[in-house]
Amino acid sequence: MIIQLEPNIKQDLRDRIITKINGLKYKTTEVATQKGEYIVGIGKKDFDIRDIGHMPGISDVHIVSDDYKLVSKKWKVKPTVIDLGDGVVIEEGGMAIMAGPCSIEGEEQIEKTIQHLLDNNVKIMRGGVYKPRSSPYSFRGLGIDGLKVWYDAARKAGIKIITEVMQVSQIEEMHDYIDIFQVGARNTQNFNLLDELGKVHKPVLIKRGISGTIDELLSSAEYVFSAGNENLMLCERGIRTYEKASRNTMDINAITILKEKSHLPVIADPSHGIGIRDHVEPVALACIMAGADGVIYETHEKPEEAYSDGQQTLNFRESEKLINKMRKVFELREEM
Amino acid sequence: MIIQLEPNIKQDLRDRIITKINGLKYKTTEVATQKGEYIVGIGKKDFDIRDIGHMPGISDVHIVSDDYKLVSKKWKVKPTVIDLGDGVVIEEGGMAIMAGPCSIEGEEQIEKTIQHLLDNNVKIMRGGVYKPRSSPYSFRGLGIDGLKVWYDAARKAGIKIITEVMQVSQIEEMHDYIDIFQVGARNTQNFNLLDELGKVHKPVLIKRGISGTIDELLSSAEYVFSAGNENLMLCERGIRTYEKASRNTMDINAITILKEKSHLPVIADPSHGIGIRDHVEPVALACIMAGADGVIYETHEKPEEAYSDGQQTLNFRESEKLINKMRKVFELREEM
Amino acid sequence: MIIQLEPNIKQDLRDRIITKINGLKYKTTEVATQKGEYIVGIGKKDFDIRDIGHMPGISDVHIVSDDYKLVSKKWKVKPTVIDLGDGVVIEEGGMAIMAGPCSIEGEEQIEKTIQHLLDNNVKIMRGGVYKPRSSPYSFRGLGIDGLKVWYDAARKAGIKIITEVMQVSQIEEMHDYIDIFQVGARNTQNFNLLDELGKVHKPVLIKRGISGTIDELLSSAEYVFSAGNENLMLCERGIRTYEKASRNTMDINAITILKEKSHLPVIADPSHGIGIRDHVEPVALACIMAGADGVIYETHEKPEEAYSDGQQTLNFRESEKLINKMRKVFELREEM
Amino acid sequence: MIIQLEPNIKQDLRDRIITKINGLKYKTTEVATQKGEYIVGIGKKDFDIRDIGHMPGISDVHIVSDDYKLVSKKWKVKPTVIDLGDGVVIEEGGMAIMAGPCSIEGEEQIEKTIQHLLDNNVKIMRGGVYKPRSSPYSFRGLGIDGLKVWYDAARKAGIKIITEVMQVSQIEEMHDYIDIFQVGARNTQNFNLLDELGKVHKPVLIKRGISGTIDELLSSAEYVFSAGNENLMLCERGIRTYEKASRNTMDINAITILKEKSHLPVIADPSHGIGIRDHVEPVALACIMAGADGVIYETHEKPEEAYSDGQQTLNFRESEKLINKMRKVFELREEM
């Protein structure tokens, strides 16, 4: 059960509502986000929703039987819009493009990537400064210093930054230099990290776990939302299966299913979804056709020299071609 | 190694070639199909291809290192075209539509489906008369009698038939009443069935195994081709994974990878690929965008009353909408 | 619902029972096996079991809610015993050993393997004469002639034969030369083959599908049983997962779960279950400890020269060591 | 390449060695643990190992081609022994038992569990005070206060504590109240957590990821070891597959493969591995037979009332029976 409260509801009304809900044997969690205040009730008993709906201070009540509540489409009517400022938005029904290298490698690479994005009117740049690597001996990213260099260049160019945050202690240090926090596939169920990201106001993109279910992804988003941050996106990036002809198996089904289950924007990551440069384009276009609200992919001036993920990274010429095609596919999707 | 022989090559030239190849420690298999004659050589030694290429009787030689040879794109330059007669073709780069019920249920259902196809200018009808069912107590299809009724109606309407063949003994009995033999996901590695289908001239569509790899699908096609039948199509129909929010996980990657690896047309089955009626459309459109040469899907006048697979079957209104959209998506793919 | 009929029940009593069951809106299937006669009722309505139980001609009635009925443990009290003759039995609670090469290769190999088995008091020899191979260019087995040679040698030595049958047409030709028909992992859902194996009286061992579920394996056994043959065994041989450090993932859970769900003997195949020679022994011992009623594994005088599966085949010294250890583990299991 | 340094090696010798290794185009990482000092060299060039081995200050040099180095069995001759004090050890070739509830629930539950362990001469108690839960609305554990209560009771009874640490900030707070840090299946690739656990001296048990590969588990252990802590254990707890008859698929293969690849003790978790109370025993016994150096499982006085995981938790009577059987199986394994 989700109870949306009226803005600036008084404390005694709020207490009365909670007492009422608890009296129905529902446990309550109070949630205050950038956009509103909610009470989430967890319980099993059936009751007449009208018993609650009429109470003063309540603007709406919704029954949501899934494990996740606030991220469910069952209560939200207006499409979610995530405003990054300067006219850059990510929204349900839109087609946001986020592109850039796997790893941030240095000033020259940053400048060239920004120029490529500007040339193609792309407003959001991806790149890793903290890299989760399965071996402790691999390159782990340039860290906060690299981020600051990137930030300066991006701000000047009017480009927004999305980058991965790997642990709680990085949130504060990164906060002022990023526009979107990315939670990586190995951290989808790092619940402490999710809790803390609920306490900041910067948007968060959550990648599906390497073998996470659709429901687990939604529950991870519920963590962030219920902790106070509803500027959220979900990202399908391929799942681990027995098939080894591709790096992962892009779950195209997940895109349309997530769109049905949640009001949050759904972003596709075709680079990790297939992991083979020559095939990133058809997979990206397929994802848009399936309903994705955006695409995040890897591009680098010279993929063969990239510090990481070169085999799935587009060069700028391929990237430009992809951007143009994605826009045509999106246009057709809009028309149909 | 694939050696394409000249048409009507004399026996002594052929023998000389085989002796030569065997002398290189390559085992040889002679293949004669509707379209040509080949010698497939299996071995590991490196040699100078020019030693063979100059021999009389040889029109071309190709090195193919994959386990599958004849179905590989490495040797075939011209796109594969499967001609069903009456102007109905399935081909690389095209977009064939095959639609119809999961199970053939009777005359009325056949007539209504045919009318629906005619109304939408669709030329190929799918439907099962032998149904593989996991429980022995389930409906197993109308069998050969049902097929004959279907055949009569379809012929009159100029509609082609694709239906599943489950065992060797059915091939002969079904042969004259079908246009395409379908090998189901449980029979992808029924090698005896594949061998026998290599001996007929009717086209064959091979579905990927329930948890078959891309390479296994190609090797299964190699069985049919090497036994003499190169009128072949591959079909991606979703794979079994841990995710249970959908019936299968549609492997969108497989479509683009199969297109790269093989010259055979690749057909997508979104009905089984996701298994949920409301989501068949976006998945079908995504598959075309990813490069599929055709789509096979389930439609029924009243899905809720279908003998089988109702939950993933479109009604005629939904089917019509899908057909129109698929054509638009295909058109855009052509243009880009 | 399973209704066990009294031996030699008269036709009119039988008809009356069927009429009664159909009247309850249950579809009925009559089953006659080597061991008894049954009526299987499929339906959903609840009813009072006593309405049926008192009818003349009925020896017992059982409600079984699973999709599979006759293979369920819910009705069978006495443990299943499969008698191969000459005192060789496979039974619930026992520990049968079946060993031999992947492929039968010729007389000398047969003789040496038989001697190895005799030396270790093993009574059942495995080996393939029809080999399912993913590539059409691989060795496909010696066929029926190889089987006859093997049969002659085995009979003389008092050794029983288990070998794979790949298609319906082979059943008759192989019937007199084998003691157990093996259905391979690629044929677990070859329903026509299962149907036909229900009509013979030789025992059948059904391997779990490459990515088959436990329930699917039981339903496949139901096919054979309901077609008339209850001399059945189930075989866990590893499943396909994302993990590639082993050939398959041996599903140790399946052994104990199958033992709970079904009265049929459960055999473990550690050779395919892990696919690495050095690890076959610990996996085999683990399977016995988990409750397996038998083990089938691959052994060859010189595994490195075997026509197939050499990398997972034990040499005779390793095989002997394994046999001794298996017997000790079984002894402990019995004691505990 | 792993270079074991002599104890108390002088700085100039160390520098000379590093210079030499770097000169061979190998990147070096210096590692100092509780037990020794190492230089790990990462590179691809072949060289003559004798060029290095003779250098002063080096006690041994090993070539290890795997991604993981220090946890590989290729260099370590003596079995790893983890000493928890008071005569409690976990070691290669041993059979440690760790038992207790999923969640620590309160004083009474702690006391009863401790008594059960004492009665059965079990020295290590498991239990969660920080619980990773997929839903933010579920019980998340008693936290540090619960741990302190548990610690007091355990110390009095001479019982050691293993419990999960979920994030870096908990390490310090938990440090003095635990004997083994457990890294859960959702944190196997939480590389920051692993890094920090490398800096403490308390033993660490790392669970395999929910769909982690064997190699990923070893690489995660390499993180901890290379950061300074070689008191490490690996834990197989079942993997996520398509099979839903059990909670996870216990990968019995992983136990024997991990034993071959690494010198670290391998612990089996049958409770999560199958997830069904009635089947925990056979799976536990199978794991010991396959070579596990220990077992961790869930037990509770009244499983049906447990705050979490009740369906896979043994009651004390079942637990006692299991302990006795495990000891017998271990005894047999030792003898054979």
Side-chain angles (χ1 to χ4, degrees):
Chain A
M1 172 170 47
I2 298 172
I3 295 166
Q4 287 180 268
L5 300 177
E6 287 178 355
N8 307 314
I9 179 178
K10 292 218 181 107
Q11 192 58 41
D12 63 328
L13 288 183
R14 182 198 303 267
D15 291 346
R16 216 177 299 161
I17 294 165
I18 291 175
T19 305
K20 174 77 178 176
I21 309 298
N22 291 338
L24 294 167
K25 304 274 183 207
Y26 271 60
K27 287 199 308 175
T28 48
T29 303
E30 292 181 72
V31 172
T33 75
Q34 309 97 332
K35 302 186 184 171
E37 292 187 76
Y38 315 87
I39 294 167
V40 178
I42 307 290
K44 283 186 180 156
K45 238 186 80 206
D46 276 340
F47 59 89
D48 190 333
I49 198 169
R50 289 167 301 182
D51 287 354
I52 300 166
H54 73 280
M55 292 181 76
I58 289 180
S59 81
D60 225 339
V61 180
H62 307 268
I63 302 298
V64 182
S65 57
D66 305 298
D67 275 354
Y68 48 89
K69 311 282 174 189
L70 293 159
V71 302
S72 166
K73 207 166 203 163
K74 289 182 186 144
W75 71 273
K76 208 172 179 200
V77 191
K78 283 192 292 182
T80 296
V81 179
I82 296 172
D83 190 342
L84 302 177
D86 307 320
V88 184
V89 296
I90 299 169
E91 60 185 322
E92 278 191 271
M95 203 271 288
I97 301 178
M98 316 183 201
C102 177
S103 299
I104 295 298
E105 297 167 7
E107 219 158 335
E108 195 192 328
Q109 179 221 34
I110 292 169
E111 293 296 350
K112 285 187 168 159
T113 308
I114 286 177
Q115 193 54 51
H116 168 63
L117 299 184
L118 291 175
D119 290 347
N120 289 282
N121 198 27
V122 169
K123 296 296 190 190
I124 311 172
M125 179 170 164
R126 62 148 288 150
V129 295
Y130 291 111
K131 301 299 302 171
R133 302 304 294 271
S134 37
S135 165
Y137 309 120
S138 302
F139 173 65
R140 300 208 213 169
L142 296 182
I144 188 69
D145 295 331
L147 177 57
K148 288 178 181 173
V149 173
W150 180 18
Y151 174 79
D152 287 339
R155 268 304 162 270
K156 267 179 227 154
I159 293 287
K160 304 295 175 187
I161 285 179
I162 175 170
T163 194
E164 178 164 356
V165 57
M166 284 178 67
Q167 63 172 328
V168 170
S169 67
Q170 291 164 352
I171 296 177
E172 198 182 328
E173 121 194 340
M174 296 170 77
H175 184 276
D176 292 347
Y177 304 99
I178 62 103
D179 298 284
I180 306 173
F181 282 111
Q182 176 182 314
V183 176
R186 286 171 189 79
N187 274 319
T188 312
Q189 295 199 312
N190 183 332
F191 302 120
N192 301 108
L193 183 62
L194 299 173
D195 268 341
E196 293 304 313
L197 288 168
K199 298 176 188 162
V200 299
H201 286 322
K202 288 283 171 84
V204 176
L205 176 146
I206 307 177
K207 288 203 166 185
R208 185 178 183 182
I210 286 174
S211 68
T213 64
I214 289 173
D215 275 12
E216 285 171 348
L217 175 56
L218 290 165
S219 287
S220 291
E222 186 82 10
Y223 261 91
V224 183
F225 198 130
S226 68
N229 186 356
E230 57 182 283
N231 280 326
L232 278 171
M233 288 157 269
L234 306 171
C235 180
E236 165 59 37
R237 45 77 73 200
I239 59 173
R240 183 169 274 180
T241 70
Y242 67 85
E243 176 62 69
K244 299 300 168 194
S246 48
R247 182 176 178 185
N248 290 297
T249 297
M250 189 69 183
D251 186 358
I252 195 87
N253 294 350
I255 290 174
T256 172
I257 291 173
L258 284 169
K259 291 294 302 169
E260 182 205 27
K261 293 199 171 193
S262 176
H263 53 80
L264 299 177
V266 174
I267 310 298
D269 175 352
S271 305
H272 290 85
I274 188 160
I276 307 166
R277 192 191 311 175
D278 287 351
H279 294 300
V280 169
E281 181 188 298
V283 173
L285 301 181
C287 291
I288 295 170
M289 198 42 85
D293 303 306
V295 170
I296 185 166
Y297 69 93
E298 293 178 344
T299 185
H300 190 284
E301 196 199 5
K302 296 179 182 162
E304 55 287 349
E305 295 176 12
Y307 286 17
S308 50
D309 276 358
Q311 79 293 345
Q312 70 190 28
T313 298
L314 305 185
N315 64 34
F316 290 161
R317 197 180 39 75
E318 294 163 332
S319 171
E320 177 166 349
K321 213 172 117 225
L322 174 60
I323 294 165
N324 291 332
K325 290 193 177 182
M326 289 197 291
R327 286 175 175 151
K328 284 182 189 158
V329 172
F330 176 64
E331 212 175 293
L332 175 62
R333 190 182 88 190
E334 290 285 88
E335 280 169 30
M336 289 196 312
Chain B
M1 171 171 46
I2 298 171
I3 295 165
Q4 285 179 268
L5 300 177
E6 287 179 355
N8 307 315
I9 179 178
K10 293 217 180 109
Q11 191 57 43
D12 63 328
L13 286 184
R14 182 198 303 267
D15 292 345
R16 214 177 301 161
I17 294 165
I18 291 175
T19 307
K20 174 77 178 177
I21 309 298
N22 291 339
L24 293 168
K25 304 277 186 207
Y26 271 59
K27 289 200 307 177
T28 48
T29 303
E30 291 181 72
V31 172
T33 74
Q34 308 99 329
K35 303 187 183 170
E37 293 187 75
Y38 314 86
I39 293 167
V40 178
I42 307 289
K44 284 189 181 154
K45 237 186 80 204
D46 275 340
F47 59 89
D48 189 334
I49 198 168
R50 289 166 301 181
D51 286 356
I52 301 167
H54 73 280
M55 293 180 76
I58 290 180
S59 82
D60 225 338
V61 180
H62 306 268
I63 302 298
V64 182
S65 56
D66 305 298
D67 276 352
Y68 48 89
K69 312 280 177 193
L70 293 159
V71 303
S72 167
K73 206 164 205 165
K74 291 186 183 139
W75 71 273
K76 208 171 178 199
V77 190
K78 282 192 294 184
T80 295
V81 178
I82 296 171
D83 190 343
L84 302 176
D86 307 319
V88 184
V89 296
I90 298 169
E91 60 185 324
E92 276 191 274
M95 204 271 289
I97 301 178
M98 318 183 197
C102 177
S103 299
I104 295 297
E105 297 167 8
E107 219 158 335
E108 196 192 327
Q109 179 221 34
I110 292 169
E111 293 296 351
K112 285 189 167 158
T113 308
I114 286 177
Q115 194 53 52
H116 168 64
L117 299 184
L118 292 174
D119 291 347
N120 289 283
N121 198 27
V122 170
K123 297 296 190 190
I124 310 172
M125 179 169 161
R126 62 149 288 151
V129 295
Y130 292 111
K131 300 300 303 171
R133 301 304 295 268
S134 37
S135 165
Y137 309 118
S138 300
F139 172 65
R140 300 210 213 169
L142 296 181
I144 188 70
D145 295 332
L147 178 59
K148 288 177 182 173
V149 173
W150 180 16
Y151 174 80
D152 287 341
R155 269 302 163 271
K156 269 180 227 152
I159 293 287
K160 306 294 177 187
I161 284 178
I162 175 168
T163 194
E164 177 163 356
V165 57
M166 283 177 66
Q167 63 172 327
V168 170
S169 68
Q170 292 165 352
I171 295 176
E172 199 182 330
E173 125 194 337
M174 295 170 77
H175 183 276
D176 292 347
Y177 304 99
I178 61 100
D179 298 285
I180 306 172
F181 282 111
Q182 177 182 315
V183 176
R186 286 170 190 78
N187 274 320
T188 311
Q189 295 200 310
N190 183 332
F191 302 120
N192 302 110
L193 182 63
L194 299 173
D195 268 342
E196 294 305 312
L197 287 169
K199 297 176 187 161
V200 299
H201 285 323
K202 287 282 170 84
V204 177
L205 175 146
I206 307 178
K207 288 204 167 184
R208 184 177 183 183
I210 286 175
S211 66
T213 64
I214 288 173
D215 275 12
E216 285 172 348
L217 175 57
L218 290 164
S219 286
S220 291
E222 186 82 9
Y223 261 90
V224 183
F225 197 130
S226 68
N229 186 355
E230 57 182 283
N231 280 326
L232 278 171
M233 287 157 271
L234 306 171
C235 181
E236 165 60 36
R237 43 76 74 201
I239 59 173
R240 183 169 274 178
T241 69
Y242 67 85
E243 176 60 70
K244 300 299 168 195
S246 48
R247 183 177 177 183
N248 291 298
T249 297
M250 188 70 184
D251 186 0
I252 195 86
N253 294 349
I255 290 174
T256 172
I257 291 174
L258 284 169
K259 291 294 302 168
E260 181 204 28
K261 293 199 171 191
S262 175
H263 53 80
L264 300 176
V266 174
I267 310 299
D269 176 351
S271 305
H272 290 84
I274 188 160
I276 306 166
R277 192 191 310 173
D278 287 350
H279 295 300
V280 169
E281 181 188 298
V283 173
L285 301 181
C287 291
I288 295 170
M289 197 42 84
D293 302 307
V295 169
I296 185 166
Y297 70 93
E298 294 179 342
T299 184
H300 190 284
E301 196 199 7
K302 295 178 184 164
E304 54 288 349
E305 295 176 13
Y307 286 16
S308 49
D309 275 357
Q311 80 294 345
Q312 70 190 30
T313 298
L314 304 186
N315 64 34
F316 291 163
R317 196 179 41 76
E318 294 163 332
S319 171
E320 178 166 348
K321 212 173 118 226
L322 174 61
I323 294 165
N324 291 333
K325 289 192 177 181
M326 289 196 293
R327 286 174 176 151
K328 283 183 190 156
V329 172
F330 176 64
E331 211 175 292
L332 174 62
R333 191 181 86 191
E334 290 286 88
E335 281 169 28
M336 287 194 314
Chain C
M1 173 170 46
I2 298 172
I3 295 166
Q4 285 179 269
L5 300 177
E6 286 178 355
N8 306 316
I9 178 178
K10 292 219 180 107
Q11 191 59 42
D12 63 328
L13 287 184
R14 181 197 303 267
D15 291 347
R16 214 177 299 161
I17 294 165
I18 291 176
T19 306
K20 174 74 178 178
I21 308 298
N22 292 338
L24 294 168
K25 305 276 186 206
Y26 271 60
K27 288 200 308 176
T28 48
T29 303
E30 292 181 69
V31 171
T33 74
Q34 308 99 330
K35 303 187 184 170
E37 291 187 77
Y38 314 86
I39 293 167
V40 178
I42 307 289
K44 284 188 180 156
K45 239 186 80 204
D46 276 340
F47 60 89
D48 189 334
I49 199 168
R50 290 166 301 181
D51 286 357
I52 301 167
H54 74 279
M55 292 182 76
I58 290 181
S59 82
D60 225 338
V61 181
H62 308 267
I63 301 298
V64 182
S65 56
D66 305 299
D67 276 353
Y68 48 88
K69 311 281 178 194
L70 293 159
V71 303
S72 166
K73 206 165 204 164
K74 290 185 184 141
W75 71 273
K76 209 172 178 197
V77 191
K78 283 192 292 184
T80 295
V81 178
I82 296 171
D83 190 343
L84 301 177
D86 307 320
V88 183
V89 296
I90 298 168
E91 60 185 322
E92 277 191 273
M95 205 272 288
I97 300 179
M98 318 183 198
C102 177
S103 298
I104 294 297
E105 297 168 7
E107 220 157 334
E108 195 192 327
Q109 179 220 33
I110 291 168
E111 293 296 352
K112 285 189 167 158
T113 308
I114 286 178
Q115 194 52 52
H116 168 63
L117 299 184
L118 291 175
D119 290 347
N120 288 283
N121 198 28
V122 170
K123 297 294 190 190
I124 310 172
M125 179 168 162
R126 62 149 288 151
V129 296
Y130 291 111
K131 300 299 303 171
R133 302 303 296 268
S134 37
S135 165
Y137 309 119
S138 301
F139 173 65
R140 299 209 214 169
L142 295 181
I144 188 70
D145 296 331
L147 178 58
K148 288 178 182 172
V149 173
W150 180 17
Y151 174 79
D152 287 339
R155 270 302 163 272
K156 268 180 228 154
I159 293 287
K160 305 295 174 185
I161 285 178
I162 175 169
T163 193
E164 177 164 356
V165 57
M166 282 178 67
Q167 63 173 327
V168 170
S169 68
Q170 292 164 352
I171 295 176
E172 199 182 328
E173 123 194 339
M174 295 170 76
H175 183 276
D176 293 346
Y177 305 100
I178 61 101
D179 298 284
I180 306 172
F181 283 112
Q182 176 182 314
V183 176
R186 285 170 190 77
N187 275 320
T188 312
Q189 295 201 310
N190 183 332
F191 302 120
N192 301 110
L193 183 62
L194 298 173
D195 269 342
E196 293 305 313
L197 288 169
K199 297 175 188 161
V200 300
H201 286 322
K202 288 281 170 85
V204 176
L205 175 145
I206 308 177
K207 288 204 167 184
R208 184 178 183 181
I210 286 175
S211 67
T213 64
I214 289 172
D215 276 12
E216 285 171 350
L217 175 56
L218 290 165
S219 287
S220 291
E222 186 81 9
Y223 261 90
V224 183
F225 197 129
S226 68
N229 186 356
E230 56 183 282
N231 280 325
L232 279 171
M233 287 156 270
L234 306 171
C235 180
E236 165 60 36
R237 45 76 74 202
I239 59 173
R240 183 169 275 178
T241 70
Y242 68 85
E243 176 61 71
K244 300 300 169 194
S246 49
R247 184 177 177 183
N248 291 297
T249 297
M250 188 69 183
D251 186 0
I252 195 87
N253 293 349
I255 291 174
T256 172
I257 291 173
L258 284 169
K259 291 294 302 168
E260 181 204 28
K261 292 198 171 194
S262 175
H263 54 79
L264 300 176
V266 174
I267 310 298
D269 176 351
S271 304
H272 290 85
I274 189 160
I276 307 166
R277 191 192 311 175
D278 288 351
H279 295 300
V280 169
E281 181 188 296
V283 174
L285 302 181
C287 291
I288 295 170
M289 197 42 83
D293 303 306
V295 169
I296 185 166
Y297 69 93
E298 294 179 345
T299 185
H300 190 284
E301 196 198 5
K302 295 178 184 164
E304 56 288 347
E305 294 175 13
Y307 286 15
S308 50
D309 276 358
Q311 79 292 345
Q312 69 190 30
T313 299
L314 304 186
N315 64 35
F316 290 162
R317 195 179 41 75
E318 294 163 332
S319 171
E320 178 166 348
K321 211 172 117 226
L322 174 60
I323 294 165
N324 291 332
K325 288 192 178 183
M326 288 197 292
R327 287 176 175 149
K328 284 183 190 157
V329 172
F330 175 64
E331 210 175 294
L332 175 63
R333 191 182 86 191
E334 290 286 89
E335 281 168 28
M336 288 196 312
Chain D
M1 172 170 48
I2 298 172
I3 295 164
Q4 286 179 268
L5 301 178
E6 287 178 355
N8 307 314
I9 178 179
K10 292 219 181 107
Q11 191 58 40
D12 64 327
L13 288 183
R14 182 197 304 266
D15 291 347
R16 216 179 298 162
I17 294 164
I18 291 175
T19 306
K20 174 77 177 178
I21 310 298
N22 291 339
L24 294 167
K25 304 277 184 205
Y26 271 60
K27 286 200 308 178
T28 47
T29 303
E30 292 180 71
V31 172
T33 74
Q34 309 97 330
K35 302 187 184 172
E37 291 187 76
Y38 315 87
I39 293 166
V40 178
I42 307 290
K44 284 187 178 155
K45 238 185 82 207
D46 276 340
F47 59 87
D48 189 334
I49 198 168
R50 290 167 299 182
D51 287 355
I52 300 166
H54 74 280
M55 291 181 77
I58 290 180
S59 81
D60 225 337
V61 180
H62 307 268
I63 302 298
V64 182
S65 57
D66 305 299
D67 276 353
Y68 48 90
K69 311 282 176 191
L70 293 160
V71 303
S72 167
K73 206 166 204 163
K74 288 183 186 142
W75 71 273
K76 207 169 179 201
V77 191
K78 283 192 292 183
T80 295
V81 178
I82 295 171
D83 190 343
L84 302 177
D86 306 320
V88 184
V89 296
I90 298 169
E91 61 185 322
E92 278 192 272
M95 203 270 288
I97 301 179
M98 316 182 199
C102 178
S103 299
I104 295 297
E105 297 168 5
E107 219 158 334
E108 195 192 326
Q109 179 220 33
I110 291 169
E111 293 296 350
K112 285 187 167 160
T113 308
I114 286 178
Q115 192 54 52
H116 168 63
L117 300 184
L118 291 176
D119 291 347
N120 289 282
N121 197 27
V122 170
K123 297 296 192 190
I124 310 172
M125 179 169 163
R126 62 149 288 151
V129 295
Y130 291 111
K131 301 299 302 171
R133 303 303 295 267
S134 36
S135 165
Y137 309 119
S138 302
F139 173 65
R140 299 209 212 168
L142 295 182
I144 188 70
D145 295 331
L147 178 58
K148 288 178 182 173
V149 173
W150 180 17
Y151 174 79
D152 286 339
R155 269 302 162 271
K156 269 181 226 152
I159 293 288
K160 305 295 174 185
I161 285 178
I162 175 170
T163 194
E164 178 165 355
V165 57
M166 284 177 65
Q167 63 173 327
V168 170
S169 67
Q170 292 164 351
I171 296 177
E172 198 182 329
E173 122 195 339
M174 296 170 76
H175 184 277
D176 292 347
Y177 305 99
I178 61 103
D179 297 285
I180 306 173
F181 282 111
Q182 176 182 316
V183 175
R186 286 171 189 78
N187 274 320
T188 311
Q189 295 199 311
N190 183 332
F191 301 121
N192 301 109
L193 183 62
L194 298 173
D195 269 341
E196 294 304 313
L197 287 169
K199 297 176 188 162
V200 298
H201 286 322
K202 287 282 170 85
V204 176
L205 176 147
I206 307 177
K207 289 203 166 185
R208 185 177 182 183
I210 286 175
S211 68
T213 64
I214 288 173
D215 275 12
E216 285 171 348
L217 175 56
L218 290 165
S219 287
S220 291
E222 186 82 9
Y223 261 90
V224 184
F225 197 130
S226 69
N229 186 356
E230 56 182 284
N231 280 325
L232 279 172
M233 289 157 268
L234 306 171
C235 180
E236 165 59 37
R237 45 77 73 199
I239 60 173
R240 183 170 273 178
T241 70
Y242 67 85
E243 176 62 71
K244 299 299 168 194
S246 48
R247 182 177 179 183
N248 291 298
T249 297
M250 188 70 184
D251 186 359
I252 194 86
N253 294 349
I255 290 174
T256 171
I257 291 174
L258 283 170
K259 291 294 303 168
E260 181 204 27
K261 292 197 170 192
S262 176
H263 54 80
L264 299 176
V266 174
I267 310 298
D269 175 351
S271 304
H272 289 84
I274 189 160
I276 307 167
R277 192 191 310 176
D278 287 350
H279 295 301
V280 169
E281 180 188 297
V283 173
L285 301 181
C287 291
I288 295 169
M289 197 43 85
D293 303 307
V295 169
I296 185 167
Y297 70 92
E298 293 178 344
T299 185
H300 190 284
E301 195 198 7
K302 296 179 183 164
E304 56 288 347
E305 295 176 12
Y307 285 16
S308 51
D309 276 358
Q311 79 293 344
Q312 70 190 28
T313 298
L314 304 186
N315 63 35
F316 290 161
R317 196 179 40 74
E318 294 163 331
S319 171
E320 177 165 347
K321 212 172 118 227
L322 175 60
I323 294 165
N324 291 332
K325 289 193 178 183
M326 287 198 293
R327 286 176 175 150
K328 283 183 189 157
V329 172
F330 176 63
E331 211 175 293
L332 175 62
R333 191 181 88 191
E334 289 285 89
E335 279 169 30
M336 289 197 311

